[in-house]
């Protein structure tokens, strides 16, 4: 454990609080995309990827999680209209206790991620069996809900009709088309990179995809109906990479399958954990950590 990185996580959590959780995450995407492209080009992007995008600066498990917790706290105290508000810059509240909560959860994010990273891994999964930022964001969001929320993990439905837990009909078809389309473009490009022999670009490709999807949330932030898609892009890229390494070009199909799974699981998580509630439990982060476990399990046996 790096003591300075741990202390820095306090400041990273404050960044997420004063900027707002989603704006901070968009910055994560910028650093991930820039660092990923630099790495693919062979000119070094480690600082942007490891220290900035996924480190104590604006790592999702630190800055985004800190912003989510700060919003939940502010909502409970009546300082914010809703604890689910991850778009607003909490600097506008001018409340030191709000951003301090962000800092505390930033430190917790570092510790939780570090602890999970010490656990045994599946096969040759690498540093961890699952996505460390994703599972940490989920754990801290659950803590936020239990500490600052009053709606329970699955929310409190107050409607008159039957609650929808999963999109059906046209909504289901739309999610399949969205996930399949993203899965196709990601997986086919992974094949092209594999054929080029550029191992650096092929290895960093999932991070580039993640960065692109995260940056696209700037349109969500500015009021457009752009959906979160990093839970589709990242698993699709990870699965395509695993499939191509095992089966060659035909392995792109695994990426398409996980693109669709990412879209459908994200919808299920959103309606189950992030509807009719008073704090934010992030559907993409939850989806990513679950699917990463499955992808690593598959990669260990194919």
């Amino acid at each position: 454990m790096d003591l300075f990185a741990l202390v820095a996580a306090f400041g990273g959590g404050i960044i997420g609080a004063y900027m707002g959780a989603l704006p901070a995450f968009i910055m994560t995407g910028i650093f991930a995309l820039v660092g990923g492209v630099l790495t693919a080009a062979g000119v070094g992007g480690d600082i942007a990827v490891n220290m900035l995008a996924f480190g104590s600066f604006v790592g999702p498990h630190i800055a985004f999680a800190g912003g989510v917790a700060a919003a939940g706290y502010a909502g409970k105290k009546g300082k914010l209209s809703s604890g689910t508000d991850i778009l607003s810059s909490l600097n506008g509240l001018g409340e030191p206790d709000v951003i301090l909560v962000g800092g505390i959860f930033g430190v917790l994010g570092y510790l939780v991620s570090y602890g999970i990273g010490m656990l045994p891994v599946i096969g040759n999964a690498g540093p961890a069996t699952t996505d460390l930022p994703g599972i940490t964001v989920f754990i801290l969001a659950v803590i936020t809900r239990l500490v600052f929320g009053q709606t329970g993990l699955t929310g409190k439905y107050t409607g008159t009709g039957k609650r929808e837990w999963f999109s059906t009909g046209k909504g289901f078809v739309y999610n399949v088309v969205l996930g399949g389309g993203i899965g196709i473009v990601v997986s086919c490009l992974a094949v092209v990179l594999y054929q080029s022999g550029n191992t650096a670009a092929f290895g960093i490709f999932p991070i580039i995809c993640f960065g692109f999807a995260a940056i696209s949330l700037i349109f969500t932030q500015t009021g457009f109906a752009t959906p979160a898609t990093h839970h589709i892009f990242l698993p699709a890229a990870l699965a395509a990479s695993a499939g191509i390494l095992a089966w060659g070009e035909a392995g792109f199909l695994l990426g398409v399958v996980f693109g669709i799974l990412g879209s459908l699981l994200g919808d299920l998580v959103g309606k189950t954990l992030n509807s009719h509630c008073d704090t934010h439990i992030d559907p993409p982060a939850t989806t990513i950590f679950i699917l990463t476990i499955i992808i690593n399990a598959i990669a260990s046996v194919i």
Side-chain angles (χ1 to χ4, degrees):
M1 179 182 295
D2 188 320
L3 179 60
F4 286 100
L6 174 63
V7 175
F10 178 78
I14 285 181
I15 288 175
Y18 85 73
M19 288 188 69
L22 190 63
F25 184 71
I26 292 169
M27 296 303 299
T28 300
I30 292 173
F31 287 124
L33 181 61
V34 171
V37 170
L38 289 175
T39 299
V43 295
D46 288 349
I47 292 177
V49 173
N50 297 324
M51 293 184 64
L52 302 180
F54 300 108
S56 296
F57 197 62
V58 288
H61 57 303
I62 291 171
F64 181 80
V68 166
Y73 169 80
K76 179 180 181 179
K77 294 296 183 180
K79 300 177 180 183
L80 192 66
S81 60
S82 172
T84 63
D85 185 356
I86 61 170
L87 279 71
S88 295
S89 169
L90 302 184
N91 176 70
L93 303 178
E95 300 284 354
D97 55 331
V98 171
I99 63 171
L100 280 172
V101 168
I104 292 169
F105 271 77
V107 172
L108 288 175
Y110 182 93
L111 293 173
V112 170
S113 177
Y114 181 85
I116 296 174
M118 296 292 289
L119 297 175
V121 300
I122 294 176
N124 58 352
T129 293
T130 188
D131 182 87
L132 291 179
I135 193 170
T136 303
V137 166
F138 169 74
I139 290 172
L140 293 190
V142 169
I143 293 173
T144 297
R145 175 76 55 83
L146 296 177
V147 174
F148 302 132
Q150 299 179 348
T151 56
L153 287 181
T154 58
K156 289 184 177 180
Y157 180 62
T158 58
T160 56
K162 185 178 180 181
R163 178 175 176 178
E164 184 180 61
W165 297 93
F166 187 77
S167 293
T168 57
K170 185 185 292 186
F172 175 83
V173 174
Y174 181 87
N175 284 327
V176 171
V177 173
L178 177 65
I182 292 173
I184 287 171
V185 67
V186 166
S187 301
C188 289
L189 287 178
V191 170
V192 172
L193 285 175
Y194 179 75
Q195 292 173 335
S196 74
N198 187 338
T199 55
F202 184 74
I204 200 67
F205 183 60
I207 297 300
I208 294 174
C209 291
F210 170 88
F212 168 80
I215 292 174
S216 73
L217 288 169
I218 195 169
F219 301 111
T220 309
Q221 179 73 30
T222 51
F224 295 94
T226 305
T229 54
H230 47 293
H231 61 297
I232 304 174
F233 274 95
L234 182 57
L238 291 172
S241 298
I244 292 167
L245 288 174
W247 304 316
E249 295 176 4
F252 91 95
L253 290 172
L254 192 62
V256 178
V257 169
F258 272 87
I260 295 172
L261 288 176
S263 183
L264 295 177
L265 182 56
D267 176 72
L268 173 63
V269 173
K271 286 182 168 54
T272 302
L273 300 179
N274 206 45
S275 298
H276 315 290
C277 54
D278 52 5
T279 68
H280 181 83
I281 295 179
D282 195 56
T286 307
T287 300
I288 287 171
F289 98 75
I290 293 172
L291 292 186
T292 301
I293 294 173
I294 297 172
I295 293 166
N296 283 334
I298 292 173
S300 69
V301 297
I302 62 176

